[in-house]
Amino acid sequence: MADPLHELLTPYLDEPSTSKPVRASGDVVTNKYLERLHTLSLSSLTLQETQSLAQSSHSTLLSIQSLSSRSNAAVIASSDHFANLRTTLPLLAEEADKLRDGIPKLDERASTFSTTYSRSTENEVLDRRKRALLMERNADRLSDILDLPTLLSSAISSSAAQGASSTASYATALDLYSHIKRLHLLYADSPLFTSIYAQTESAMQDLTSHLIASLRAQNIKLAAGMRTVGWLRRVAPELDTGGNGTGSHEGLLGYLFLICRLSTLVTTLSALEPLKQLANQETDTRLRKPSKRTGSKASDGSAWHGGQQSERYLKRYIEIFREQSFAIISMYKSIFPSSADVQSSEDFRLPFKSAGLKSVPVLSSQSSTKEPSGEPPSALSTFPTYLADLLFDTLKEYLPNVQDKTSKESLLTQVLYCGGSLGRLGGDFSLMLPMLSSWSAEVSDESEDDDESWVDVMKKHRELAGRLEALASGVSSTKGTDRGGSLRIK
């Protein structure tokens, strides 16, 4: 019913259609409206439908105006873009042609790259990239390796600050040094490990200096000395060989140890410098006094009667010398227990039973220099001789100042105990004491009294030694070792 009605109303439309009429079935809105018209009465069509259409037209107009207001910018932009399509589309077609022409070249270049940088072939660029990737993966390990010299320097500084008691710091430093040295041997061709090893060697020289300085400590104990020598053997193994390269048991470390301890002894004795200056003043005064031996006619009141300051100086000197020398030699024998030293010590013994004395070790420069293997003599073979010369030079200079018989006997007894103390270690020099009488006779007026004083001192010393031996023979076992003697002459 809608199609005939639509054909009937078509000539009366405001804008006649010039195109082919659209069928009502194809326009849903038109068909729906025509069907609605069939349902209206004639009065509704003539009175109400016109107003309804006017209202609908006005609403549609308002909607179109609102839509155009909202979509103005978008419509203008769309118009501009549509205008640009005239130039954009030809450019797009041109670029598409270029892309199509470039695809064969891209394929060729990709094939060339794949052939050039294949893993099956050697290439410098790939090798550099592999090394860079390997370094990136091992960055933490390389950082740890680069920190090794710094850690070693820190351990050495800590051990130097703590002194000989820093066992852990020294052990840590030596372990680090061993690790770096092992890495250097494994990767000898690596510039990195060569540089690290060079820095390590510089730090180990500082450690060697610290260890040598610790051997010169004032009150070093046996355990600390043994540890220090052991560390020196690890740090500087070249010191553990003899001068000719064949090596001996103590090596050059024995000489180094004795030199350091001797330096400590000299430093300790230098603390007596104030007393030594007073003793020098007495020496100058004695030398200015006339003596009977020179034939002077001066009265007895002008003779020399001083020597108190010299006595004080010699007592302290002998006491320090006895303690330190015994400690040096006993510590040396404990640290370097060599059979060669024992044999050399046996060569020093000479029988003195004809003089009423037991066989005691004495010093012999000839026997100390005999080395059948051609190696240099042991460091201990000549050291006691040097110590004895050091003591006797001091006694020769200051003992003539002491004129009081009791004081001189006390000093001689103290020297005898010092010689006996070293005699237990193979360095007895007590038989050289009669030389003091001859030295005193050259500057003294009473040489016969000096000889009698020497004889009395020897007799008293033998009696006391006999008593001590008698007491010792009744003891089944000894407890402890003599540390330089406990008897001090007041």
Side-chain angles (χ1 to χ4, degrees):
M1 187 66 185
D3 290 339
L5 184 59
H6 181 267
E7 293 176 359
L8 178 65
L9 295 176
T10 297
Y12 298 99
L13 296 176
D14 294 337
E15 296 180 359
S17 178
T18 57
S19 60
K20 184 179 178 180
V22 181
R23 294 186 304 172
S25 59
D27 191 350
V28 179
V29 178
T30 302
N31 291 338
K32 189 175 180 180
Y33 179 72
L34 292 176
E35 289 178 358
R36 179 175 172 276
L37 289 179
H38 286 291
T39 60
L40 296 177
S41 60
L42 180 61
S43 59
S44 297
L45 291 173
T46 58
L47 297 176
Q48 298 178 0
E49 188 63 21
T50 304
Q51 296 179 357
S52 177
L53 290 175
Q55 291 178 356
S56 298
S57 176
H58 184 68
S59 298
T60 303
L61 179 61
L62 292 177
S63 299
I64 292 173
Q65 290 177 352
S66 177
L67 178 62
S68 63
S69 177
R70 292 195 306 268
S71 304
N72 181 38
V75 170
I76 293 174
S78 300
S79 177
D80 294 339
H81 289 304
F82 181 76
N84 292 333
L85 287 178
R86 294 179 180 179
T87 57
T88 304
L89 291 177
L91 291 176
L92 178 62
E94 183 180 355
E95 295 296 331
D97 293 338
K98 290 181 180 180
L99 178 61
R100 182 188 59 208
D101 297 337
I103 288 177
K105 296 181 179 180
L106 177 63
D107 181 68
E108 182 181 357
R109 294 292 180 87
S111 301
T112 304
F113 179 85
S114 176
T115 305
T116 303
Y117 298 103
S118 176
R119 293 185 177 181
S120 59
T121 59
E122 295 183 358
N123 188 275
E124 184 179 357
V125 177
L126 288 179
D127 292 339
R128 287 201 305 268
R129 184 173 181 273
K130 289 178 181 178
R131 288 195 296 268
L133 292 175
L134 182 62
M135 184 176 296
E136 181 183 3
R137 288 195 299 268
N138 295 277
D140 295 337
R141 294 181 180 179
L142 291 175
S143 177
D144 294 339
I145 292 174
L146 292 174
D147 290 339
L148 287 178
T150 305
L151 292 176
L152 181 60
S153 300
S154 301
I156 292 174
S157 301
S158 175
S159 60
Q162 297 176 9
S165 60
S166 59
T167 306
S169 299
Y170 279 123
T172 302
L174 291 175
D175 291 341
L176 284 173
Y177 174 67
S178 300
H179 180 62
I180 295 173
K181 191 174 182 179
R182 184 167 56 253
L183 290 176
H184 177 65
L185 293 176
L186 291 175
Y187 307 101
D189 298 334
S190 174
L192 174 64
F193 287 103
T194 302
S195 175
I196 292 176
Y197 184 72
Q199 300 178 31
T200 303
E201 286 296 323
S202 178
M204 294 310 292
Q205 291 180 3
D206 297 337
L207 177 59
T208 304
S209 301
H210 294 324
L211 290 175
I212 293 176
S214 64
L215 287 179
R216 301 175 63 180
Q218 287 290 338
N219 298 318
I220 187 172
K221 302 299 182 182
L222 176 60
M226 295 183 72
R227 286 197 303 266
T228 304
V229 172
W231 290 329
L232 280 173
R233 283 194 173 107
R234 292 180 59 183
V235 174
E238 64 274 6
L239 295 178
D240 203 22
T241 59
N244 57 358
T246 57
S248 59
H249 189 76
E250 73 277 6
L252 298 178
L253 282 176
Y255 294 91
L256 178 63
F257 176 82
L258 292 179
I259 291 173
C260 292
R261 298 314 300 164
L262 178 62
S263 175
T264 304
L265 173 61
V266 174
T267 303
T268 306
L269 293 175
S270 64
L272 303 176
E273 188 64 27
L275 292 177
K276 183 178 180 181
Q277 292 178 0
L278 296 176
N280 288 332
Q281 294 177 4
E282 290 184 346
T283 302
D284 296 337
T285 305
R286 175 179 59 81
L287 294 177
R288 288 195 300 267
K289 290 289 184 178
S291 61
K292 295 179 181 180
R293 189 176 299 273
T294 59
S296 175
K297 297 181 180 180
S299 61
D300 295 339
S302 63
W304 169 252
H305 295 289
Q308 292 82 5
Q309 300 301 331
S310 298
E311 179 189 0
R312 290 178 56 194
Y313 173 68
L314 288 176
K315 278 188 176 182
R316 291 293 300 147
Y317 188 96
I318 296 172
E319 180 181 355
I320 295 174
F321 179 86
R322 173 175 54 83
E323 293 177 353
Q324 296 293 329
S325 60
F326 184 88
I328 292 173
I329 298 178
S330 61
M331 190 180 298
Y332 181 92
K333 285 181 172 289
S334 300
I335 296 176
F336 306 100
S338 174
S339 59
D341 293 342
V342 176
Q343 182 64 30
S344 178
S345 177
E346 293 294 336
D347 294 339
F348 297 154
R349 298 180 181 272
L350 294 178
F352 289 98
K353 293 184 179 180
S354 60
L357 298 175
K358 298 177 66 176
S359 296
V360 294
V362 295
L363 303 176
S364 175
S365 60
Q366 295 179 355
S367 61
S368 64
T369 57
K370 292 181 179 180
E371 291 291 338
S373 60
E375 297 182 2
S378 173
L380 196 60
S381 61
T382 57
F383 186 71
T385 306
Y386 182 83
L387 291 178
D389 291 339
L390 185 65
L391 176 62
F392 275 82
D393 288 343
T394 304
L395 292 174
K396 181 180 179 180
E397 183 176 359
Y398 297 103
L399 187 60
N401 295 342
V402 182
Q403 296 298 321
D404 184 69
K405 182 178 180 180
T406 303
S407 300
K408 184 174 291 187
E409 289 180 357
S410 176
L411 291 174
L412 292 176
T413 303
Q414 194 174 358
V415 174
L416 282 175
Y417 278 113
C418 181
S421 177
L422 290 180
R424 299 189 180 189
L425 300 175
D428 189 7
F429 56 84
S430 58
L431 294 180
M432 298 172 60
L433 291 180
M435 299 171 58
L436 293 176
S437 300
S438 61
W439 294 336
S440 299
E442 296 177 359
V443 296
S444 176
D445 299 334
E446 300 176 356
S447 59
E448 295 180 358
D449 294 340
D450 292 340
D451 293 339
E452 293 178 359
S453 175
W454 164 247
V455 173
D456 293 339
V457 171
M458 288 296 296
K459 287 181 179 180
K460 292 179 181 179
H461 182 70
R462 288 182 185 179
E463 291 177 0
L464 183 57
R467 293 175 186 176
L468 292 176
E469 289 182 359
L471 292 175
S473 62
V475 181
S476 59
S477 61
T478 60
K479 298 180 180 180
T481 306
D482 186 353
R483 296 298 180 186
S486 61
L487 181 60
R488 296 184 180 180
I489 305 303
K490 302 293 185 182

